[in-house]
Amino acid sequence: MIEARHLTKVFDLSPARARRTLDAGPDRARAVREAGGVLAVDDVSFSVERGELFVIMGLSGSGKSTVIRMINRLVVPTTGSVLYDGTDVGGMTPRQLRGLRNERVGMVFQHFALFPHRTVRENAAYGLKARGVPRRERLRRADRALEQVGLGQRGGAYPDEFSGGMQQRVGLARALTTDPDVLIMDEPFSALDPLTRRSMQEQLLELQRDFRKTIIFVTHDLNEAMRLGDRIMVMRDGRTIQLGTGPEIIARPADGYVHDFVSDVDRTRVLTAAAVMRPPWVTAALGEDPAAVLARLERSRARGAYVTAPDGGIAGVATPEALSAAAAERRADLEHCLGGDYTAVPDDTPLVEFCHLTGGHAVPLAVVDRDKRLVGVVPRARVLDAIASAAEDRSEHA
Ligand SMILES: Nc1ncnc2c1ncn2[C@@H]1O[C@H](COP(=O)(O)OP(=O)(O)OP(=O)(O)O)[C@@H](O)[C@H]1O
Ligand SMILES: [Mg+2]
């Protein structure tokens, strides 16, 4: 849906001078600085899928806001380009660009001004006025947007009756009035207290689930990034340091900088069953000979085997006892030695929700995908390892 290609932005130099300075190659950051410019964004590329919640994370000054402003060309890139649905934003006519900014891409910022003497409904409708939408239609759309952010009944109130969180909702509603395809949000919740912030995050996730907006969300808070982001791009000094899902970044931080960042995160909420599982030592298919499966089990350290049906789903668990009984009776398949002594969780379950389920059976906890197919197991020791490495990180910081 949105593709950023090699975006680079130099401030405080003429475009021609900036481009010449960038030719310095790997030394360009210094060359720009020496020429008196600021290399705010340095060769950043990424693409955002339709319906994705894409997070850009980094410390103050890392270039996050500059990147998102280049997406709708509020900032003109020094080099590089942005494609919106395959169309080069740099090649758009002023009229197309206005359409993009006014209708297809909504923006929400950390601080934005509500008009104190206008009702919340009028505030939400504000952006539509400049677009020449008739008053009645403006208010209708404002009401619908207020509904979407949970303020449906409050349109007649005035902003000073609202808490910070509610005001921020009005800002979100304002961006939603045009029913944009894409929402760009620049640290929208940073000024809110932790509880309000949390509930705004929930609301945003709900909104995205219900309306499938494509969202680009800027934050410097890693926990927020992890909670919200389908994928997260970590920036530092204008460059992309890492791009991946939350669990990927936690499990394999690209460098010391990201590692320091992620060591403060509550891993038990970020790591999913998929991130900590390993393949089972022994599995068997329903039609197999019990004696053969027993032989495999005895050669391994496993205390039971998950038996899968032809569709990959778990048919049950076969223990050595059941298998030897079946073998003694010369059974031809595993049908008769299956027990139900196991627990399975979906692969996207966070650690905090399944750690108490490990260790309860002879076989480790099973992990299944969306189609209920067995994709891995989590023995108790792996949970302890995952939590212990988090504790280790914390003590390094203490
Ligand atoms: N209009 C501008 N003119 C000159 N320099 C700028 C301009 N806008 C940003 N910069 C500089 O570019 C760099 C990146 O700024 P940017 O605002 O994109 O960072 P950010 O990651 O959004 O930071 P924050 O978290 O503080 O909002 C900084 O060094 C900043 O001072
Ligand atoms: Mg910023």
Side-chain angles (χ1 to χ4, degrees), residues 261-334:
F261 233 125
V262 301
S263 59
D264 285 337
V265 149
D266 182 353
R267 286 173 188 234
T268 63
R269 291 181 194 282
V270 177
L271 288 180
T272 56
V276 298
M277 70 187 182
R278 64 154 169 80
W281 282 329
V282 180
T283 57
L286 260 183
E288 279 193 74
D289 171 20
V293 178
L294 181 60
R296 280 217 299 284
L297 259 189
E298 282 171 346
R299 279 197 301 272
S300 79
R301 286 179 287 161
R303 292 192 290 139
Y306 277 105
V307 178
T308 55
D311 66 359
I314 301 173
V317 166
T319 59
E321 299 75 39
L323 286 167
S324 14
E329 291 170 29
R330 302 194 177 284
R331 298 265 189 202
D333 61 44
L334 297 174

Side-chain angles (χ1 to χ4, degrees), residues 64-66 69 186-187 218:
K64 309 179 297 292
S65 298
T66 307
R69 288 190 187 125
D186 195 352
E187 311 214 24
V218 170

Side-chain angles (χ1 to χ4, degrees), residues 1-290:
M1 172 120 206
I2 292 171
E3 196 183 336
R5 290 185 181 166
H6 304 292
L7 283 178
T8 299
K9 180 64 190 181
V10 176
F11 286 112
D12 297 342
L13 290 182
S14 73
R17 178 102 195 271
R19 267 183 227 113
R20 265 201 316 279
T21 324
L22 287 173
D23 285 340
D27 251 354
R28 59 192 178 274
R30 197 172 53 179
V32 169
R33 205 167 41 242
E34 280 167 3
V38 178
L39 182 55
V41 174
D42 184 4
D43 194 18
V44 167
S45 299
F46 59 90
S47 56
V48 182
E49 307 297 321
R50 189 178 294 277
E52 183 175 28
L53 206 166
F54 187 86
V55 170
I56 302 177
M57 196 198 74
L59 296 178
S60 185
S62 57
K64 309 179 297 292
S65 298
T66 307
V67 165
I68 57 170
R69 288 190 187 125
M70 286 194 276
I71 288 172
N72 58 1
R73 228 173 160 77
L74 290 174
V75 166
V76 177
T78 304
T79 60
S81 54
V82 173
L83 302 187
Y84 185 96
D85 256 346
T87 308
D88 186 347
V89 174
M92 287 185 178
T93 63
R95 191 196 156 118
Q96 286 172 320
L97 204 51
R98 260 199 313 279
L100 180 79
R101 288 178 192 153
N102 287 348
E103 277 144 41
R104 296 161 74 186
V105 180
M107 296 196 96
V108 186
F109 302 98
Q110 178 178 348
H111 297 289
F112 76 105
L114 292 177
F115 302 105
H117 305 299
R118 297 191 185 170
T119 62
V120 161
R121 177 186 293 118
E122 286 164 341
N123 267 289
Y126 172 75
L128 296 172
K129 190 169 182 179
R131 280 152 224 178
V133 178
R135 181 179 158 81
R136 189 186 267 273
E137 173 69 7
R138 288 205 299 270
L139 294 182
R140 193 188 64 77
R141 289 209 223 163
D143 281 338
R144 189 190 54 191
L146 286 168
E147 194 78 49
Q148 287 173 9
V149 301
L151 292 175
Q153 306 306 314
R154 305 295 305 274
Y158 285 86
D160 66 356
E161 300 167 41
F162 273 22
S163 65
M166 286 159 90
Q167 297 201 11
Q168 213 47 11
R169 276 170 216 249
V170 180
L172 182 53
R174 186 184 281 174
L176 289 172
T177 50
T178 57
D179 193 19
D181 303 323
V182 178
L183 271 179
I184 294 182
M185 308 181 77
D186 195 352
E187 311 214 24
F189 306 150
S190 298
L192 304 176
D193 65 83
L195 271 181
T196 308
R197 187 171 187 160
R198 190 67 193 249
S199 88
M200 293 295 287
Q201 291 164 354
E202 295 296 326
Q203 182 127 38
L204 185 67
L205 287 172
E206 243 168 67
L207 195 76
Q208 198 220 12
R209 255 196 309 274
D210 294 347
F211 300 97
R212 288 320 266 164
K213 299 281 179 211
T214 305
I215 301 175
I216 301 180
F217 189 101
V218 170
T219 182
H220 54 247
D221 181 295
L222 185 67
N223 279 303
E224 182 165 79
M226 294 284 167
R227 204 166 289 142
L228 296 177
D230 292 314
R231 285 184 306 151
I232 300 165
M233 178 167 89
V234 185
M235 289 187 68
R236 178 195 192 180
D237 297 340
R239 305 181 61 94
T240 300
I241 305 288
Q242 189 163 14
L243 203 172
T245 64
E248 275 166 16
I249 290 174
I250 296 247
R252 286 178 296 280
D255 65 5
Y257 174 79
V258 182
H259 180 272
D260 283 350
F261 233 125
V262 301
S263 59
D264 285 337
V265 149
D266 182 353
R267 286 173 188 234
T268 63
R269 291 181 194 282
V270 177
L271 288 180
T272 56
V276 298
M277 70 187 182
R278 64 154 169 80
W281 282 329
V282 180
T283 57
L286 260 183
E288 279 193 74
D289 171 20

